[in-house]
Amino acid sequence: MMKITKTVNGSSLCLVLEGRLDTVSAPDLEVTIGGSVNGMKELIIDMQALDDLSSAGLRVLLSAQRIMNKQGIMRIIHVNDIVMETFEAAGFADILHIEK
């Protein structure tokens, strides 16, 4: 189960994720991103309250990165050690803009 809190500030979109980003919740995030990033210059994904990240979640984040590369920047912030290990193990730490 994951909760997504969306905040728009001008051309910046912030999504705060709480819970688990896995095969069950990844489609919800994909729909939220797809329906919200049009015209945005910055996408911020706040993972402070994220407990777990699966490969399905990684796929959604990679897809969002591709979209934002064309129109601005995507930053992933407040990444905890558990989620950071997943990013590093998958080789995503070098692909995504991650701030601990």
Side-chain angles (χ1 to χ4, degrees):
M1 184 74 186
M2 184 179 66
K3 179 182 173 195
I4 303 170
T5 305
K6 184 166 86 168
T7 308
V8 176
N9 185 359
S11 62
S12 178
L13 169 66
C14 180
L15 301 176
V16 178
L17 310 182
E18 295 177 55
R20 298 171 56 89
L21 179 49
D22 54 22
T23 52
V24 174
S25 60
D28 293 339
L29 180 60
E30 193 166 32
V31 167
T32 299
I33 291 171
S36 305
V37 295
N38 200 13
M40 292 292 152
K41 301 283 184 223
E42 180 180 45
L43 171 60
I44 301 167
I45 300 178
D46 187 329
M47 296 190 166
Q48 187 165 9
L50 195 69
D51 302 324
D52 188 40
L53 175 63
S54 76
S55 59
L58 289 170
R59 184 185 56 75
V60 172
L61 294 172
L62 191 59
S63 174
Q65 179 70 55
R66 285 192 193 111
I67 293 167
M68 291 310 296
N69 280 346
K70 297 174 185 162
Q71 63 192 56
I73 187 171
M74 181 175 95
R75 296 186 309 135
I76 299 173
I77 63 172
H78 302 138
V79 176
N80 64 39
D81 291 341
I82 295 166
V83 172
M84 193 64 200
E85 283 178 20
T86 304
F87 280 133
E88 289 170 352
F92 278 53
D94 299 328
I95 300 170
L96 302 174
H97 185 94
I98 300 169
E99 302 170 17
K100 283 189 127 186

